[in-house]
Amino acid sequence: MRSIFLSLLLLFLPFVVMAQVTDIYQFNSVEQRQQFQGLMGELRCLVCQNETLLDSSAPLAADLRLIVYNRVLEGESDQVIIDYLTRRYGDFILYNPPMVQKTYFLWFAPILMLCIGFFLLVRLSKPAAQFYG
Amino acid sequence: MIFKHKIVKYIPLAMFLILIIICWRGLSLNPREIPSVLINQAVPEFNLPELAGQDHLTVRDLQGKVTLLNVWATWCEACQEEHPLLLNIADQYHVPIIGVDYKDDPTKARQWLNDYGNPYQRVGLDQQGKVAIDFGVYGTPETFIIDKTGTIRYKQIGIMTQSDWDKTIYPLILRLRKS
């Protein structure tokens, strides 16, 4: 029983930390807070590249967080804020690459390969079945 | 039917080889070097107080000649490594270098340039780092080549070495000077 409780505690601990960090920022509404949290999850820290802007302790991340925060307070939309950042830092600042012509291959290649692999699996196993069938 | 089977059998191997090639290429790229999206665009507007004197540094100071804009700080060790080359560029190659002192203490900056030499024609103070963000700077040092029309033509990420200068930067400056 205790081990279950302990496991649950450990599981939810990271969420407690996240709540504390975003509590530092005051917003005018729940929507603004959600917008900020949403954006933070989408934006990469360029210095500590595996961390989001929210998690990173790099000074640049702090600066960019503040910029995003102020823009959210001013009521700017997600797209406007993202444009501001990508015009300076490019698409790499986004965790999700944009869906444009040059990234179609990036987005669709995995599923395409999965389909090809599956197709081959079916095709290559058929002759054996016919032999024993 | 059997013939078709023989060819099909090699498709996974072919795909694997293609993947190897793609991974090889991908892993040889340096993720720290994020290409600048400002190449071939006009220098972003800025207005910075200067380190020396009461003037302000603006975009107008980058017009009319090919210049280097170097983002540096006294707390940046890598910038210190680059410093001798910058002095050389200013003295021997006569390329004007404009400095942007990033998130630094002006007093320390003055002292530092006094002690180690000043390669900069002018130095702007970007104490909040806002101008650097407009330039897409994410580390120091970073150096921009700006042409006569005030257009960014190249960005050097990290320390500029003699090799970078000889192979890439100086040739580009010479080409831009001719146009």
Side-chain angles (χ1 to χ4, degrees):
Chain A
M1 194 57 213
R2 245 191 22 205
S3 61
I4 296 178
F5 175 70
L6 195 64
S7 314
L8 280 175
L9 186 68
L10 285 173
L11 189 68
F12 286 109
L13 203 59
F15 295 101
V16 173
V17 174
M18 181 148 85
Q20 284 176 343
V21 175
T22 50
D23 277 346
I24 298 171
Y25 298 97
Q26 304 290 327
F27 297 97
N28 298 329
S29 68
V30 174
E31 286 82 24
Q32 278 191 348
R33 174 184 292 278
Q34 283 175 343
Q35 183 189 11
F36 182 74
Q37 283 178 339
L39 283 170
M40 285 295 110
E42 284 181 42
L43 297 168
R44 186 200 305 268
C45 171
L46 297 161
V47 181
C48 310
Q49 292 179 354
N50 285 327
E51 296 184 313
T52 64
L53 270 192
L54 191 66
D55 298 329
S56 174
S57 52
L60 179 65
D63 290 347
L64 292 176
R65 265 201 302 274
L66 201 60
I67 288 177
V68 173
Y69 168 66
N70 284 320
R71 283 171 172 258
V72 164
L73 279 186
E74 279 168 31
E76 284 188 16
S77 71
D78 278 4
Q79 197 51 54
V80 171
I81 297 175
I82 287 176
D83 277 348
Y84 174 89
L85 292 171
T86 53
R87 265 192 304 128
R88 287 156 176 77
Y89 291 101
D91 292 334
F92 190 65
I93 200 171
L94 300 170
Y95 270 116
N96 283 325
M99 182 74 81
V100 286
Q101 198 178 28
K102 75 176 176 189
T103 57
Y104 281 162
F105 182 72
L106 179 67
W107 278 104
F108 296 120
I111 205 108
L112 200 67
M113 299 232 252
L114 205 66
C115 289
I116 294 175
F118 189 72
F119 170 77
L120 285 174
L121 190 71
V122 170
R123 292 294 292 174
L124 288 176
S125 52
K126 261 191 175 168
Q130 277 176 359
F131 183 78
Y132 289 115
Chain B
M1 192 58 206
I2 297 171
F3 179 71
K4 187 182 173 189
H5 179 245
K6 262 204 167 131
I7 300 279
V8 163
K9 161 163 91 176
Y10 288 105
I11 292 181
L13 181 64
M15 284 174 62
F16 177 70
L17 288 173
I18 292 173
L19 270 178
I20 290 281
I21 293 170
I22 293 175
C23 283
W24 191 278
R25 176 80 189 105
L27 288 171
S28 66
L29 295 172
N30 182 357
R32 297 246 139 256
E33 294 199 354
I34 302 169
S36 172
V37 288
L38 297 176
I39 304 288
N40 297 329
Q41 287 187 30
V43 164
E45 282 288 337
F46 65 89
N47 187 317
L48 292 175
E50 280 196 56
L51 185 60
Q54 304 298 320
D55 260 340
H56 276 239
L57 195 69
T58 68
V59 173
R60 268 154 294 291
D61 298 310
L62 299 170
Q63 309 268 6
K65 51 198 180 315
V66 180
T67 47
L68 286 179
L69 187 133
N70 176 258
V71 181
W72 68 285
T74 58
W75 47 261
C76 159
E77 278 190 43
C79 305
Q80 299 185 13
E81 269 190 56
E82 186 182 63
H83 189 76
L85 177 61
L86 292 180
L87 285 171
N88 206 25
I89 292 171
D91 292 337
Q92 290 193 4
Y93 293 89
H94 307 295
V95 176
I97 312 178
I98 303 286
V100 172
D101 191 18
Y102 178 71
K103 292 189 146 190
D104 209 352
D105 178 354
T107 315
K108 285 196 183 141
R110 249 172 244 120
Q111 189 62 48
W112 199 91
L113 292 175
N114 245 350
D115 292 343
Y116 299 110
N118 187 355
Y120 306 111
Q121 284 204 343
R122 297 169 72 177
V123 177
L125 296 168
D126 187 12
Q127 290 183 277
Q128 299 211 312
K130 288 256 170 78
V131 170
I133 287 179
D134 284 340
F135 274 79
V137 168
Y138 62 96
T140 47
E142 284 185 13
T143 309
F144 296 85
I145 302 181
I146 298 167
D147 72 11
K148 298 179 198 171
T149 66
T151 308
I152 296 176
R153 291 298 180 192
Y154 185 81
K155 175 179 175 185
Q156 170 75 23
I157 296 167
I159 300 172
M160 185 170 32
T161 63
Q162 186 68 50
S163 171
D164 295 323
W165 174 255
D166 292 334
K167 290 196 189 137
T168 314
I169 302 185
Y170 190 48
L172 179 56
I173 291 177
L174 291 175
R175 273 204 304 278
L176 292 171
R177 274 180 173 171
K178 288 199 190 117
S179 58

mmCIF file of all heavy atoms in Angstrom, chain B residues 53-90:
data_model
loop_
_atom_site.group_PDB
_atom_site.id
_atom_site.type_symbol
_atom_site.label_atom_id
_atom_site.label_comp_id
_atom_site.label_asym_id
_atom_site.label_seq_id
_atom_site.Cartn_x
_atom_site.Cartn_y
_atom_site.Cartn_z
ATOM 1 N N GLY B 53 31.541 58.519 -24.841
ATOM 2 C CA GLY B 53 30.853 59.712 -25.335
ATOM 3 C C GLY B 53 29.352 59.654 -25.168
ATOM 4 O O GLY B 53 28.794 58.706 -24.613
ATOM 5 N N GLN B 54 28.698 60.687 -25.679
ATOM 6 C CA GLN B 54 27.261 60.844 -25.476
ATOM 7 C C GLN B 54 26.429 60.434 -26.676
ATOM 8 O O GLN B 54 25.210 60.503 -26.650
ATOM 9 C CB GLN B 54 26.949 62.318 -25.145
ATOM 10 C CG GLN B 54 27.724 62.854 -23.939
ATOM 11 C CD GLN B 54 27.384 62.104 -22.671
ATOM 12 O OE1 GLN B 54 26.229 61.767 -22.435
ATOM 13 N NE2 GLN B 54 28.392 61.798 -21.864
ATOM 14 N N ASP B 55 27.129 60.009 -27.743
ATOM 15 C CA ASP B 55 26.396 59.665 -28.956
ATOM 16 C C ASP B 55 25.620 58.355 -28.814
ATOM 17 O O ASP B 55 25.805 57.614 -27.855
ATOM 18 C CB ASP B 55 27.387 59.506 -30.123
ATOM 19 C CG ASP B 55 27.424 60.742 -30.981
ATOM 20 O OD1 ASP B 55 26.455 61.534 -30.921
ATOM 21 O OD2 ASP B 55 28.410 60.923 -31.704
ATOM 22 N N HIS B 56 24.773 58.103 -29.822
ATOM 23 C CA HIS B 56 24.062 56.843 -29.872
ATOM 24 C C HIS B 56 24.431 56.093 -31.128
ATOM 25 O O HIS B 56 24.682 56.705 -32.172
ATOM 26 C CB HIS B 56 22.545 57.090 -29.838
ATOM 27 C CG HIS B 56 22.015 57.249 -28.451
ATOM 28 N ND1 HIS B 56 21.056 56.429 -27.923
ATOM 29 C CD2 HIS B 56 22.338 58.131 -27.474
ATOM 30 C CE1 HIS B 56 20.792 56.798 -26.677
ATOM 31 N NE2 HIS B 56 21.567 57.820 -26.385
ATOM 32 N N LEU B 57 24.452 54.796 -31.024
ATOM 33 C CA LEU B 57 24.777 53.941 -32.161
ATOM 34 C C LEU B 57 23.463 53.498 -32.809
ATOM 35 O O LEU B 57 22.583 52.966 -32.135
ATOM 36 C CB LEU B 57 25.546 52.722 -31.662
ATOM 37 C CG LEU B 57 26.285 51.878 -32.702
ATOM 38 C CD1 LEU B 57 27.457 52.655 -33.257
ATOM 39 C CD2 LEU B 57 26.768 50.585 -32.073
ATOM 40 N N THR B 58 23.344 53.751 -34.122
ATOM 41 C CA THR B 58 22.120 53.327 -34.801
ATOM 42 C C THR B 58 22.466 52.641 -36.115
ATOM 43 O O THR B 58 23.638 52.524 -36.486
ATOM 44 C CB THR B 58 21.203 54.526 -35.130
ATOM 45 O OG1 THR B 58 21.847 55.322 -36.122
ATOM 46 C CG2 THR B 58 20.898 55.350 -33.900
ATOM 47 N N VAL B 59 21.442 52.230 -36.825
ATOM 48 C CA VAL B 59 21.606 51.554 -38.108
ATOM 49 C C VAL B 59 22.361 52.428 -39.103
ATOM 50 O O VAL B 59 23.131 51.945 -39.925
ATOM 51 C CB VAL B 59 20.218 51.166 -38.678
ATOM 52 C CG1 VAL B 59 20.343 50.630 -40.077
ATOM 53 C CG2 VAL B 59 19.554 50.147 -37.786
ATOM 54 N N ARG B 60 22.172 53.749 -39.001
ATOM 55 C CA ARG B 60 22.823 54.670 -39.927
ATOM 56 C C ARG B 60 24.340 54.569 -39.878
ATOM 57 O O ARG B 60 25.027 54.815 -40.861
ATOM 58 C CB ARG B 60 22.388 56.120 -39.657
ATOM 59 C CG ARG B 60 21.188 56.527 -40.486
ATOM 60 C CD ARG B 60 20.397 57.639 -39.819
ATOM 61 N NE ARG B 60 19.766 57.219 -38.564
ATOM 62 C CZ ARG B 60 18.750 56.364 -38.486
ATOM 63 N NH1 ARG B 60 18.262 55.826 -39.562
ATOM 64 N NH2 ARG B 60 18.244 56.031 -37.296
ATOM 65 N N ASP B 61 24.858 54.130 -38.710
ATOM 66 C CA ASP B 61 26.305 54.000 -38.572
ATOM 67 C C ASP B 61 26.848 52.786 -39.300
ATOM 68 O O ASP B 61 28.071 52.583 -39.357
ATOM 69 C CB ASP B 61 26.666 53.918 -37.081
ATOM 70 C CG ASP B 61 26.259 55.177 -36.337
ATOM 71 O OD1 ASP B 61 26.595 56.267 -36.819
ATOM 72 O OD2 ASP B 61 25.587 55.059 -35.293
ATOM 73 N N LEU B 62 25.947 51.958 -39.823
ATOM 74 C CA LEU B 62 26.379 50.762 -40.547
ATOM 75 C C LEU B 62 26.224 50.912 -42.046
ATOM 76 O O LEU B 62 26.399 49.976 -42.808
ATOM 77 C CB LEU B 62 25.561 49.544 -40.075
ATOM 78 C CG LEU B 62 25.705 49.190 -38.592
ATOM 79 C CD1 LEU B 62 24.688 48.143 -38.202
ATOM 80 C CD2 LEU B 62 27.105 48.687 -38.302
ATOM 81 N N GLN B 63 25.858 52.109 -42.494
ATOM 82 C CA GLN B 63 25.654 52.321 -43.922
ATOM 83 C C GLN B 63 26.921 52.845 -44.577
ATOM 84 O O GLN B 63 27.736 53.479 -43.932
ATOM 85 C CB GLN B 63 24.535 53.348 -44.137
ATOM 86 C CG GLN B 63 23.264 53.073 -43.387
ATOM 87 C CD GLN B 63 22.282 52.262 -44.192
ATOM 88 O OE1 GLN B 63 22.614 51.810 -45.283
ATOM 89 N NE2 GLN B 63 21.093 52.082 -43.667
ATOM 90 N N GLY B 64 27.027 52.592 -45.880
ATOM 91 C CA GLY B 64 28.090 53.221 -46.662
ATOM 92 C C GLY B 64 29.383 52.439 -46.764
ATOM 93 O O GLY B 64 30.213 52.719 -47.615
ATOM 94 N N LYS B 65 29.572 51.472 -45.889
ATOM 95 C CA LYS B 65 30.805 50.677 -45.983
ATOM 96 C C LYS B 65 30.527 49.279 -45.430
ATOM 97 O O LYS B 65 29.572 49.073 -44.678
ATOM 98 C CB LYS B 65 31.919 51.328 -45.178
ATOM 99 C CG LYS B 65 31.511 51.665 -43.756
ATOM 100 C CD LYS B 65 32.432 52.673 -43.123
ATOM 101 C CE LYS B 65 32.020 53.019 -41.698
ATOM 102 N NZ LYS B 65 30.595 53.277 -41.461
ATOM 103 N N VAL B 66 31.371 48.346 -45.812
ATOM 104 C CA VAL B 66 31.216 46.979 -45.304
ATOM 105 C C VAL B 66 31.774 46.939 -43.889
ATOM 106 O O VAL B 66 32.923 47.292 -43.652
ATOM 107 C CB VAL B 66 31.981 45.970 -46.194
ATOM 108 C CG1 VAL B 66 31.806 44.562 -45.657
ATOM 109 C CG2 VAL B 66 31.506 46.064 -47.633
ATOM 110 N N THR B 67 30.938 46.530 -42.939
ATOM 111 C CA THR B 67 31.386 46.514 -41.545
ATOM 112 C C THR B 67 31.154 45.151 -40.905
ATOM 113 O O THR B 67 30.340 44.350 -41.361
ATOM 114 C CB THR B 67 30.622 47.542 -40.682
ATOM 115 O OG1 THR B 67 29.230 47.416 -40.949
ATOM 116 C CG2 THR B 67 31.052 48.958 -40.944
ATOM 117 N N LEU B 68 31.885 44.939 -39.821
ATOM 118 C CA LEU B 68 31.642 43.779 -38.980
ATOM 119 C C LEU B 68 30.948 44.277 -37.720
ATOM 120 O O LEU B 68 31.328 45.305 -37.168
ATOM 121 C CB LEU B 68 32.957 43.112 -38.574
ATOM 122 C CG LEU B 68 33.693 42.307 -39.634
ATOM 123 C CD1 LEU B 68 34.980 41.752 -39.072
ATOM 124 C CD2 LEU B 68 32.823 41.165 -40.150
ATOM 125 N N LEU B 69 29.924 43.543 -37.309
ATOM 126 C CA LEU B 69 29.285 43.870 -36.043
ATOM 127 C C LEU B 69 29.534 42.697 -35.100
ATOM 128 O O LEU B 69 29.115 41.584 -35.380
ATOM 129 C CB LEU B 69 27.777 44.105 -36.243
ATOM 130 C CG LEU B 69 27.044 44.612 -35.007
ATOM 131 C CD1 LEU B 69 26.148 45.793 -35.344
ATOM 132 C CD2 LEU B 69 26.225 43.542 -34.349
ATOM 133 N N ASN B 70 30.241 42.974 -34.023
ATOM 134 C CA ASN B 70 30.675 41.905 -33.123
ATOM 135 C C ASN B 70 29.983 42.027 -31.764
ATOM 136 O O ASN B 70 30.097 43.064 -31.092
ATOM 137 C CB ASN B 70 32.208 41.999 -32.965
ATOM 138 C CG ASN B 70 32.750 40.992 -31.974
ATOM 139 O OD1 ASN B 70 33.065 41.318 -30.834
ATOM 140 N ND2 ASN B 70 32.863 39.753 -32.418
ATOM 141 N N VAL B 71 29.246 40.970 -31.395
ATOM 142 C CA VAL B 71 28.557 40.954 -30.104
ATOM 143 C C VAL B 71 29.470 40.273 -29.092
ATOM 144 O O VAL B 71 29.891 39.133 -29.291
ATOM 145 C CB VAL B 71 27.220 40.189 -30.211
ATOM 146 C CG1 VAL B 71 26.495 40.204 -28.879
ATOM 147 C CG2 VAL B 71 26.351 40.790 -31.291
ATOM 148 N N TRP B 72 29.804 41.001 -28.030
ATOM 149 C CA TRP B 72 30.795 40.502 -27.070
ATOM 150 C C TRP B 72 30.456 40.945 -25.655
ATOM 151 O O TRP B 72 29.511 41.689 -25.427
ATOM 152 C CB TRP B 72 32.182 41.030 -27.462
ATOM 153 C CG TRP B 72 32.278 42.516 -27.276
ATOM 154 C CD1 TRP B 72 31.736 43.483 -28.069
ATOM 155 C CD2 TRP B 72 32.918 43.222 -26.208
ATOM 156 N NE1 TRP B 72 31.985 44.737 -27.566
ATOM 157 C CE2 TRP B 72 32.721 44.611 -26.428
ATOM 158 C CE3 TRP B 72 33.651 42.820 -25.090
ATOM 159 C CZ2 TRP B 72 33.233 45.595 -25.573
ATOM 160 C CZ3 TRP B 72 34.161 43.802 -24.242
ATOM 161 C CH2 TRP B 72 33.942 45.179 -24.481
ATOM 162 N N ALA B 73 31.248 40.473 -24.683
ATOM 163 C CA ALA B 73 31.097 40.919 -23.298
ATOM 164 C C ALA B 73 32.380 40.601 -22.540
ATOM 165 O O ALA B 73 33.131 39.710 -22.925
ATOM 166 C CB ALA B 73 29.921 40.234 -22.633
ATOM 167 N N THR B 74 32.638 41.331 -21.465
ATOM 168 C CA THR B 74 33.851 41.087 -20.684
ATOM 169 C C THR B 74 33.760 39.766 -19.917
ATOM 170 O O THR B 74 34.777 39.159 -19.604
ATOM 171 C CB THR B 74 34.128 42.215 -19.667
ATOM 172 O OG1 THR B 74 33.006 42.325 -18.805
ATOM 173 C CG2 THR B 74 34.383 43.538 -20.366
ATOM 174 N N TRP B 75 32.506 39.313 -19.671
ATOM 175 C CA TRP B 75 32.351 38.067 -18.911
ATOM 176 C C TRP B 75 32.423 36.840 -19.814
ATOM 177 O O TRP B 75 32.324 35.705 -19.360
ATOM 178 C CB TRP B 75 31.016 38.062 -18.157
ATOM 179 C CG TRP B 75 29.829 38.477 -18.965
ATOM 180 C CD1 TRP B 75 29.244 39.709 -18.972
ATOM 181 C CD2 TRP B 75 29.097 37.685 -19.901
ATOM 182 N NE1 TRP B 75 28.187 39.732 -19.847
ATOM 183 C CE2 TRP B 75 28.066 38.506 -20.429
ATOM 184 C CE3 TRP B 75 29.181 36.364 -20.344
ATOM 185 C CZ2 TRP B 75 27.151 38.054 -21.373
ATOM 186 C CZ3 TRP B 75 28.270 35.899 -21.286
ATOM 187 C CH2 TRP B 75 27.269 36.743 -21.791
ATOM 188 N N CYS B 76 32.581 37.075 -21.108
ATOM 189 C CA CYS B 76 32.568 35.991 -22.080
ATOM 190 C C CYS B 76 33.991 35.557 -22.410
ATOM 191 O O CYS B 76 34.740 36.281 -23.071
ATOM 192 C CB CYS B 76 31.828 36.475 -23.339
ATOM 193 S SG CYS B 76 32.196 35.555 -24.831
ATOM 194 N N GLU B 77 34.367 34.373 -21.931
ATOM 195 C CA GLU B 77 35.747 33.912 -22.126
ATOM 196 C C GLU B 77 36.080 33.671 -23.584
ATOM 197 O O GLU B 77 37.187 33.946 -24.035
ATOM 198 C CB GLU B 77 35.972 32.621 -21.335
ATOM 199 C CG GLU B 77 36.270 32.887 -19.882
ATOM 200 C CD GLU B 77 36.735 31.634 -19.151
ATOM 201 O OE1 GLU B 77 37.562 30.899 -19.733
ATOM 202 O OE2 GLU B 77 36.260 31.413 -18.027
ATOM 203 N N ALA B 78 35.113 33.141 -24.317
ATOM 204 C CA ALA B 78 35.348 32.859 -25.732
ATOM 205 C C ALA B 78 35.659 34.150 -26.491
ATOM 206 O O ALA B 78 36.456 34.166 -27.420
ATOM 207 C CB ALA B 78 34.137 32.159 -26.322
ATOM 208 N N CYS B 79 35.010 35.262 -26.079
ATOM 209 C CA CYS B 79 35.251 36.549 -26.723
ATOM 210 C C CYS B 79 36.703 36.971 -26.549
ATOM 211 O O CYS B 79 37.299 37.593 -27.432
ATOM 212 C CB CYS B 79 34.349 37.638 -26.141
ATOM 213 S SG CYS B 79 32.603 37.233 -26.212
ATOM 214 N N GLN B 80 37.276 36.621 -25.409
ATOM 215 C CA GLN B 80 38.667 36.992 -25.151
ATOM 216 C C GLN B 80 39.609 36.253 -26.083
ATOM 217 O O GLN B 80 40.630 36.775 -26.507
ATOM 218 C CB GLN B 80 38.999 36.720 -23.692
ATOM 219 C CG GLN B 80 38.119 37.546 -22.770
ATOM 220 C CD GLN B 80 38.475 37.411 -21.312
ATOM 221 O OE1 GLN B 80 39.528 36.897 -20.970
ATOM 222 N NE2 GLN B 80 37.595 37.883 -20.448
ATOM 223 N N GLU B 81 39.193 35.014 -26.427
ATOM 224 C CA GLU B 81 40.007 34.228 -27.367
ATOM 225 C C GLU B 81 40.012 34.853 -28.747
ATOM 226 O O GLU B 81 40.989 34.775 -29.477
ATOM 227 C CB GLU B 81 39.434 32.817 -27.471
ATOM 228 C CG GLU B 81 40.031 31.837 -26.502
ATOM 229 C CD GLU B 81 39.610 30.420 -26.819
ATOM 230 O OE1 GLU B 81 39.837 29.964 -27.967
ATOM 231 O OE2 GLU B 81 39.042 29.778 -25.920
ATOM 232 N N GLU B 82 38.893 35.430 -29.085
ATOM 233 C CA GLU B 82 38.712 35.999 -30.421
ATOM 234 C C GLU B 82 39.378 37.363 -30.538
ATOM 235 O O GLU B 82 39.660 37.854 -31.636
ATOM 236 C CB GLU B 82 37.206 36.136 -30.639
ATOM 237 C CG GLU B 82 36.767 36.567 -31.997
ATOM 238 C CD GLU B 82 35.259 36.713 -32.050
ATOM 239 O OE1 GLU B 82 34.725 37.579 -31.319
ATOM 240 O OE2 GLU B 82 34.625 35.978 -32.811
ATOM 241 N N HIS B 83 39.590 37.989 -29.391
ATOM 242 C CA HIS B 83 40.016 39.379 -29.341
ATOM 243 C C HIS B 83 41.264 39.710 -30.172
ATOM 244 O O HIS B 83 41.269 40.691 -30.915
ATOM 245 C CB HIS B 83 40.208 39.790 -27.887
ATOM 246 C CG HIS B 83 40.450 41.248 -27.697
ATOM 247 N ND1 HIS B 83 39.448 42.205 -27.772
ATOM 248 C CD2 HIS B 83 41.585 41.939 -27.471
ATOM 249 C CE1 HIS B 83 39.952 43.395 -27.578
ATOM 250 N NE2 HIS B 83 41.254 43.272 -27.389
ATOM 251 N N PRO B 84 42.341 38.911 -30.075
ATOM 252 C CA PRO B 84 43.535 39.223 -30.869
ATOM 253 C C PRO B 84 43.257 39.288 -32.368
ATOM 254 O O PRO B 84 43.792 40.154 -33.063
ATOM 255 C CB PRO B 84 44.488 38.072 -30.545
ATOM 256 C CG PRO B 84 44.022 37.541 -29.248
ATOM 257 C CD PRO B 84 42.545 37.739 -29.222
ATOM 258 N N LEU B 85 42.413 38.392 -32.843
ATOM 259 C CA LEU B 85 42.070 38.417 -34.267
ATOM 260 C C LEU B 85 41.334 39.705 -34.614
ATOM 261 O O LEU B 85 41.589 40.323 -35.647
ATOM 262 C CB LEU B 85 41.206 37.199 -34.641
ATOM 263 C CG LEU B 85 40.739 37.175 -36.096
ATOM 264 C CD1 LEU B 85 41.923 37.128 -37.051
ATOM 265 C CD2 LEU B 85 39.815 36.001 -36.373
ATOM 266 N N LEU B 86 40.450 40.161 -33.741
ATOM 267 C CA LEU B 86 39.713 41.397 -33.994
ATOM 268 C C LEU B 86 40.668 42.584 -34.078
ATOM 269 O O LEU B 86 40.532 43.464 -34.933
ATOM 270 C CB LEU B 86 38.673 41.641 -32.897
ATOM 271 C CG LEU B 86 37.497 40.666 -32.842
ATOM 272 C CD1 LEU B 86 36.550 41.042 -31.708
ATOM 273 C CD2 LEU B 86 36.721 40.662 -34.154
ATOM 274 N N LEU B 87 41.643 42.594 -33.186
ATOM 275 C CA LEU B 87 42.638 43.678 -33.224
ATOM 276 C C LEU B 87 43.380 43.663 -34.554
ATOM 277 O O LEU B 87 43.620 44.702 -35.175
ATOM 278 C CB LEU B 87 43.629 43.524 -32.068
ATOM 279 C CG LEU B 87 43.137 43.907 -30.672
ATOM 280 C CD1 LEU B 87 44.142 43.500 -29.623
ATOM 281 C CD2 LEU B 87 42.846 45.400 -30.588
ATOM 282 N N ASN B 88 43.715 42.454 -34.995
ATOM 283 C CA ASN B 88 44.402 42.280 -36.263
ATOM 284 C C ASN B 88 43.553 42.773 -37.431
ATOM 285 O O ASN B 88 44.040 43.463 -38.334
ATOM 286 C CB ASN B 88 44.719 40.784 -36.444
ATOM 287 C CG ASN B 88 45.913 40.583 -37.325
ATOM 288 O OD1 ASN B 88 46.756 41.466 -37.434
ATOM 289 N ND2 ASN B 88 45.975 39.432 -37.964
ATOM 290 N N ILE B 89 42.288 42.408 -37.394
ATOM 291 C CA ILE B 89 41.364 42.802 -38.463
ATOM 292 C C ILE B 89 41.271 44.321 -38.555
ATOM 293 O O ILE B 89 41.283 44.911 -39.637
ATOM 294 C CB ILE B 89 39.957 42.202 -38.224
ATOM 295 C CG1 ILE B 89 39.991 40.688 -38.386
ATOM 296 C CG2 ILE B 89 38.925 42.814 -39.163
ATOM 297 C CD1 ILE B 89 38.719 39.990 -37.957
ATOM 298 N N ALA B 90 41.224 44.956 -37.391
ATOM 299 C CA ALA B 90 41.104 46.419 -37.371
ATOM 300 C C ALA B 90 42.393 47.072 -37.852
ATOM 301 O O ALA B 90 42.370 47.992 -38.681
ATOM 302 C CB ALA B 90 40.748 46.891 -35.968
#
